[in-house]
Amino acid sequence: MDMEAMINTVKGWQENPVKFARSHGVSLSPEAELSDSEEGIHFLIVEGFLIYNYKPLLDVYDKCFYISIPYEECKRRRSTRTYTVPDPPGLFDGHVWPMYLKHRKEMESNSDRIEYLDGMSSKEDMYNQVYETIQNALLNNL
C-alpha cells in the first residue's frame, strides 16, 4: 500500500471536498453543490484494515472507529465468503488470525483515540453509536 499517496489524497480532500469530489467523478447532492468547502460540513470515510497502523495517516483523521469481532465469528464470516482462489486449508488459523492480532496490537499502540465498535451488535446499533459520536463532535467543534 502506498500510504504517502493515501495521505496526499486525504489532504487533497480536506483542502476542498467539493472540488475533490468533482475531479474524481463523485456525484454531489444539491446541498453539497451549493456549499462552499469552508462553510459546509463534509465527511470522508476511509476504510481498510491497516488504516490505523501508519502514524502519519492516523494524524489526519478527525474520528477513528474500529469494528471488532471475536475469533469464532471472524472465522465463520470468512468461511462464508467466495474467493476467486479459495483459501488453502489452515490459512485462517495459520496466517490470517495471527496477522490480524499482530496488526491490531500495533494499531492499539499507535493511538488511544480509536473508538471500538462491537461487530456482534446490529448494524443499526453501530450506526447510531457512530452518528452520536459525530453529532457530539460537531456540536463541540470536533
Side-chain angles (χ1 to χ4, degrees):
M1 291 177 35
D2 186 346
M3 298 303 241
E4 285 301 317
M6 187 177 280
I7 289 171
N8 291 334
T9 299
V10 171
K11 286 182 177 179
W13 178 86
Q14 288 174 324
E15 288 173 15
N16 191 325
V18 173
K19 181 180 176 184
F20 183 89
R22 284 188 192 124
S23 71
H24 286 79
V26 175
S27 299
L28 298 170
S29 69
E31 295 83 12
E33 287 283 356
L34 295 174
S35 73
D36 179 84
S37 64
E38 296 296 318
E39 296 174 17
I41 297 173
H42 302 273
F43 294 91
L44 176 66
I45 298 173
V46 180
E47 69 88 23
F49 87 99
L50 292 175
I51 61 170
Y52 301 135
N53 290 70
Y54 186 62
K55 185 92 171 86
L57 184 58
L58 186 62
D59 292 340
V60 301
Y61 304 137
D62 292 315
K63 292 290 171 196
C64 301
F65 299 95
Y66 185 87
I67 302 171
S68 62
I69 56 175
Y71 165 84
E72 296 81 15
E73 181 65 12
C74 186
K75 187 171 184 175
R76 185 193 69 74
R77 289 182 188 183
R78 186 168 178 107
S79 71
T80 64
R81 294 184 187 159
T82 304
Y83 294 99
T84 305
V85 177
D87 283 352
L91 181 69
F92 184 85
D93 289 321
H95 180 73
V96 173
W97 190 253
M99 291 307 291
Y100 162 78
L101 293 175
K102 174 185 181 270
H103 290 295
R104 179 165 175 169
K105 184 177 181 179
E106 182 182 307
M107 172 192 76
E108 289 168 343
S109 70
N110 281 344
S111 177
D112 60 357
R113 56 190 196 91
I114 298 170
E115 186 171 335
Y116 293 86
L117 305 173
D118 179 1
M120 299 300 288
S121 61
S122 71
K123 289 179 185 177
E124 182 179 4
D125 286 346
M126 287 189 285
Y127 170 85
N128 288 334
Q129 185 177 347
V130 170
Y131 180 81
E132 183 179 325
T133 299
I134 292 171
Q135 189 174 34
N136 287 337
L138 291 172
L139 292 172
N140 295 312
N141 294 319
L142 295 172

